[in-house]
C-alpha cells in the first residue's frame, strides 16, 4: 500500500526533492511533500508530508501533518500522524495525534479544545424576566 493510497489524486502536490535544500518560508493552498531539507516555516490548509529522507527545522501549520522523517520545531494541525520512521522534537498542538510503532515524539502535545462561548445575562434582563413571571 502506497503513502497516498487513501488520498485524493485530484489535488496538486508540491515536492521538495531529496537533495534539495530550502531556506525560507513555504506557503501553499495545496499539499506539500518534503523529501529534502527545509529550514523555515511551512503553512498550508492541506497536507504536509515529511518522507523518511525529509527534514524540517521550523514551524509547520497544516490541516494534516504526516511525519515519517525528522521535524524540529512546532507543529499545529487538525491531525498529526507520526509514522514508523518519524521523529518530532518540539511543541505540538493538535486535535488528533497518532504515533505509530517506531514513531517518536520528544516534547509536548497540547490538545486543541474548542471553547464554548458563554453569554452573560445582565441583571436588568433577570429582573424584567422575574417581573414578567410575577405578573402572570
Amino acid at each position: 500500500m502506497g503513502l497516498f493510497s487513501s488520498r485524493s489524486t485530484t489535488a496538486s502536490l508540491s515536492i521538495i526533492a531529496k537533495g534539495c535544500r530550502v531556506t525560507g518560508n513555504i506557503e501553499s493552498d495545496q499539499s506539500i511533500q518534503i523529501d529534502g531539507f527545509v529550514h523555515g516555516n511551512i503553512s498550508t490548509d492541506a497536507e504536509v508530508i515529511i518522507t523518511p529522507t525529509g527534514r524540517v527545522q521550523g514551524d509547520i501549520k497544516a490541516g494534516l501533518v504526516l511525519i515519517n522523517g525528522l521535524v524540529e520545531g512546532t507543529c499545529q494541525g487538525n491531525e498529526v500522524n507520526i509514522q514508523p520512521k518519524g521523529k518530532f522534537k518540539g511543541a505540538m498542538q493538535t486535535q488528533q495525534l497518532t504515533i505509530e510503532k517506531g514513531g517518536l515524539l520528544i516534547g509536548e502535545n497540547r490538545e486543541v479544545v474548542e471553547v464554548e462561548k458563554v453569554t452573560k445575562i445582565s441583571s436588568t434582563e433577570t429582573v424584567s424576566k422575574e417581573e414578567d413571571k410575577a405578573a402572570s
Side-chain angles (χ1 to χ4, degrees):
M1 182 185 317
L3 179 64
F4 302 104
S5 61
S6 64
R7 308 283 178 233
S8 171
T9 57
T10 59
S12 296
L13 178 69
S14 297
I15 298 175
I16 305 300
K18 182 178 177 180
C20 182
R21 295 179 64 90
V22 173
T23 301
N25 298 333
I26 300 172
E27 294 182 22
S28 177
D29 294 332
Q30 304 298 325
S31 296
I32 302 167
Q33 179 174 313
I34 309 298
D35 297 335
F37 177 79
V38 174
H39 186 269
N41 303 328
I42 301 172
S43 178
T44 180
D45 289 333
E47 304 170 341
V48 172
I49 303 155
I50 295 94
T51 65
T53 60
R55 305 286 181 265
V56 176
Q57 287 182 333
D59 302 335
I60 299 175
K61 185 175 181 182
L64 171 64
V65 182
L66 300 173
I67 301 171
N68 208 18
L70 174 63
V71 176
E72 296 177 288
T74 64
C75 182
Q76 188 175 16
N78 296 332
E79 181 180 347
V80 177
N81 184 340
I82 301 176
Q83 297 177 325
K85 295 181 180 177
K87 292 177 181 54
F88 178 83
K89 297 178 183 179
M92 183 180 297
Q93 188 173 21
T94 182
Q95 292 175 334
Q96 182 177 342
L97 172 62
T98 304
I99 303 175
E100 296 182 22
K101 185 176 181 178
L104 181 63
L105 168 62
I106 301 171
E108 65 178 334
N109 176 44
R110 295 186 180 179
E111 182 181 7
V112 177
V113 180
E114 293 183 23
V115 178
E116 293 183 21
K117 189 173 182 180
V118 177
T119 305
K120 185 175 180 179
I121 299 174
S122 68
S123 59
T124 57
E125 290 179 19
T126 306
V127 170
S128 65
K129 288 181 182 179
E130 289 175 3
E131 289 173 357
D132 290 341
K133 287 182 184 178
S136 303

